[in-house]
RNA sequence: GCGCCUUUAGCUCAGCUGGAUAGAGCAACGGCCUUCUAAGCCGUGUGUCGGGAGUUCGAAUCUCUCAAGGCGCACCA
């Protein structure tokens, strides 16, 4: 906000401190009746050798108060109250003019950001854990795009690796072709689980699996054919889920895509003299950085994921010339990415510093852990369907006359799930509970969507309003001012969230907006107000609020409904 | 053993880069629909901010230490 600048400039001339240091000190008081901005004078107390409350008093007398309703000295604080009608007018007209572009900016113009997210493993079910990366990555994609960055969404499919040896071995032994036709992933999961059970009894299966993978790498016909088939049926299922979530990728270049790009990486490492042999494997030693070595080639000569990640990073730099290269991958892989980024740096690529691992926590049950190998998973599709079902029930219960119930149930149900995933700090684990995730009360997606629908309903009934016949200075209740101030900070919030790669900051902001709006809605009549100027001003405020909620949710990949 | 993370109300979590009496939601209880959607609003909390020490005008926030839990530590991704 420009207010901080104005305040710091005025204080700078009075105190001699730089505008920058002052701007950093300026804070927002905990309660609205204490003002909109505050400057703590405690630090000045030392240099001026004067009590903080005397300093604030003195500054209060001397400072230029134009543009502010008033300036007060409370204890060691200098509190500023902004001119509310000015704020209301500026904020609301800006929102109503910019509409769906409100909150957007151009600070990323000309810069490309690659975002690696979702990236499920082929042949394994898309379970509730995968939504974490998918939701965060998609939100970051939309948020960065809104600030003018060109984003490239990459689904780095797990379509290579020794697991395919296992799968091929299992396929040849136990697959039920009929079941595979009907529910491919479920059947693949079944034989994958069976493989692990059988391998416990007969460890030689592991060797057979390794052999199959080696054959696959060597391009043997049977293995390649099976691999292709598995990949094909998996993608059909994944796309069904991405469609439900309305998520699109710009690239599906998965692990197998880099098969022919790894020799070059090995050569480059060789040239730089970074490779050493250790226990039969080729590694980059990272002792100096207090990390275990980065393995480039296994002792059997086969490649490993670190090699692929190196190849992928180099490919992405060459292809997209990224400004930032983001990986939305779980925190357990923190060390792996440190190793890869450090290796890139050692290879002489300064852009290694632009590679960012955006980690997130685990999705787990209260008691046990999700495990694909044991078949202990909840399919994301089942969760989404359940949520839609629950939303449908609530509609029948609360608004049975609604026209497009199924459509609304879909938006609300899916919105509730995605919202839950984006509500908390991403590094926190999500404890999965049907009860919590299907509870649509309180700080949830449906709550926010409901607030939006309420606002839209008022606007529909108003049947338009005359923005030119408005007196914004009449929006002076505490609820109205608070709401306006919140709406004004939308862009700041997005920027702040992006700096931390943390969508939850935006999610919580939207909750705040909805909460403040509901208070306003409950306390102040809108349509029945006789004063036409006030009525129009309130309608403008409702209009602006719905715009911000809609834009905000859209950045999180969540839709709104006009009625619910 | 080493490294990283977590610890705030019964439960799930916020707490902006050190600041004014530590906040929400859920759950519980009590109020509010002849007026704009009650998926809403209002009210009710005796919290050692895991323990201890330090830094300073001031610490949930920074440093150190201890404790509990989690994750990771070379041929899986």
């Amino acid at each position: 906000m420009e207010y901080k600048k104005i305040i710091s400039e005025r204080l700078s001339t009075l105190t001699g401190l730089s505008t920058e240091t002052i701007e950093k000190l300026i804070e927002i008081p905990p309660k609205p009746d204490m003002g909109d901005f505050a400057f703590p004078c405690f630090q000045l107390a030392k240099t001026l050798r004067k009590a903080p409350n005397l300093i604030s008093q003195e500054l209060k007398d001397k400072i230029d108060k134009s543009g502010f309703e008033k300036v007060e000295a409370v204890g060691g604080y200098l509190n500023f109250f902004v001119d509310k009608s000015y704020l209301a007018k500026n904020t609301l007209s800006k929102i109503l003019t910019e509409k769906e572009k409100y909150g957007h900016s151009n600070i990323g113009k000309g810069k490309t950001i690659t975002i690696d997210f979702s990236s499920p493993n082929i042949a394994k079910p898309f379970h509730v854990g995968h939504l974490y990366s998918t939701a965060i990555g998609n939100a970051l994609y939309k948020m960065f795009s809104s600030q003018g960055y060109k984003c490239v969404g990459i689904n780095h499919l797990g379509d290579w690796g020794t697991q395919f040896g296992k799968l091929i071995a299992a396929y040849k032994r136990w697959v039920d072709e009929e079941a595979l036709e009907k529910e491919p992933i479920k059947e693949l999961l079944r034989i994958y689980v069976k493989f692990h059970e059988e391998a416990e009894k007969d460890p030689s299966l592991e060797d057979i699996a390794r052999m199959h993978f080696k054959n696959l790498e060597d391009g043997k016909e049977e293995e390649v054919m099976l691999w292709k088939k598995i990949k094909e049926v998996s993608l059909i299922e994944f796309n069904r889920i991405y469609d439900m979530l309305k998520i699109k990728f710009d690239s599906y270049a998965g692990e197998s895509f880099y098969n022919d790009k790894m020799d070059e990486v090995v050569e480059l490492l060789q040239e730089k003299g970074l490779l050493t042999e250790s226990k039969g494997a080729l590694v980059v030693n990272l002792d100096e950085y207090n990390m275990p070595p980065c393995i480039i080639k296994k002792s059997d000569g086969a490649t490993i994921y670190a090699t692929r990640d190196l190849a992928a990073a180099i490919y992405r730099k060459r292809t997209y010339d990224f400004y930032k290269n983001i990986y939305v991958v779980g925190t357990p892989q923190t060390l792996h990415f440190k190793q890869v980024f450090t290796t890139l740096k050692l290879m002489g690529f300064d852009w290694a510093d632009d590679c960012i691992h955006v980690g997130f926590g685990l999705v787990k049950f209260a008691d046990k852990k999700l495990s694909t190998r044991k078949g202990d998973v909840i399919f994301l599709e089942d969760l989404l369907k359940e949520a839609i079902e629950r939303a449908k029930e609530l509609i029948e219960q609360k608004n049975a006359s609604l026209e497009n119930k199924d459509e609304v149930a879909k938006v609300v149900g899916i919105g509730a799930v995605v919202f839950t995933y984006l509500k908390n700090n991403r590094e926190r684990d999500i404890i999965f509970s049907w009860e919590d995730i299907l509870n649509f009360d309180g700080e949830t997606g449906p709550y926010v969507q409901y607030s939006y629908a309420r606002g839209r309903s008022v606007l529909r009934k108003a049947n338009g309003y005359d923005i030119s016949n408005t007196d914004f200075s009449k929006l002076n209740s505490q609820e109205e001012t608070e709401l306006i101030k919140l709406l004004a900070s939308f862009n700041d919030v997005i920027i702040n969230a992006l700096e931390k790669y943390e969508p939850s900051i935006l999610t919580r902001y939207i909750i705040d907006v909805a909460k403040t709006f509901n208070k306003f809605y409950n306390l102040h009549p809108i349509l029945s107000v006789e004063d036409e100027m006030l009525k129009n001003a309130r309608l403008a405020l409702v209009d602006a609020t719905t715009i911000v909620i809609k834009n905000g949710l859209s950045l999180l990949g969540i839709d709104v409904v006009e009625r619910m």
Side-chain angles (χ1 to χ4, degrees), chain A residues 372-419:
Chain A
T372 316
R373 290 202 291 198
K374 292 186 186 135
D376 249 348
V377 290
I378 293 172
F379 291 68
L380 179 59
E381 204 169 359
D382 292 341
L383 171 65
L384 294 178
K385 282 180 177 163
E386 194 71 35
I388 294 168
E389 198 49 43
R390 165 92 175 128
K392 184 82 184 290
E393 277 170 31
L394 284 175
I395 292 168
E396 295 294 356
Q397 199 177 307
K398 293 171 191 288
N399 196 355
S401 61
L402 194 68
E403 280 175 23
N404 47 348
K405 289 180 194 164
D406 288 322
E407 203 178 305
V408 173
K410 204 173 161 188
V411 172
V412 173
I414 292 176
V417 175
V418 173
F419 198 89

Side-chain angles (χ1 to χ4, degrees), chain A residues 263-334:
Chain A
D263 288 346
E264 190 201 340
V265 173
V266 179
E267 277 165 32
L268 268 170
L269 288 162
Q270 198 74 265
E271 274 172 35
K272 300 274 177 189
L274 294 169
L275 288 182
T276 50
E277 204 182 311
S278 172
K279 296 175 190 168
L282 281 179
V283 307
V284 176
N285 189 295
L286 298 173
D287 283 352
E288 199 185 324
Y289 302 90
N290 205 14
M291 280 187 260
C294 186
I295 296 174
I296 302 299
K297 266 195 170 183
K298 298 193 282 186
S299 44
D300 65 359
T303 59
I304 189 165
Y305 64 110
T307 327
R308 277 190 283 276
D309 278 341
L310 289 169
I314 293 166
Y315 174 83
R316 286 173 196 176
K317 184 62 188 178
R318 283 179 189 160
T319 311
Y320 307 110
D321 190 27
F322 56 71
Y323 165 72
K324 298 276 183 211
N325 177 30
I326 296 173
Y327 298 84
V328 187
V329 179
T331 47
Q333 292 194 45
T334 305

Side-chain angles (χ1 to χ4, degrees), chain A residues 52 98 123 207 291 324 370 525 531:
Chain A
E98 298 184 4
D207 292 329
M291 280 187 260
K324 298 276 183 211
L370 287 167
D531 180 345

Side-chain angles (χ1 to χ4, degrees), chain A residues 24 98 108 117 119 146 205 217 219 238 272 292 304 328 331 394 421 459 461 538 555:
Chain A
K24 274 189 184 166
E98 298 184 4
F117 69 104
S119 309
S146 78
L205 276 172
E217 278 213 306
F238 292 164
K272 300 274 177 189
I304 189 165
V328 187
T331 47
L394 284 175
Y421 275 75
L459 292 166
K461 292 200 165 138
R538 287 201 174 144
L555 293 179

Side-chain angles (χ1 to χ4, degrees), chain A residues 221-232:
Chain A
E221 201 180 323
E222 186 182 21
E223 277 83 358
V224 170
M225 191 201 73
L226 283 173
W227 171 75
K228 275 189 180 159
K229 183 170 182 178
I230 291 169
K231 184 167 172 176
E232 206 174 288

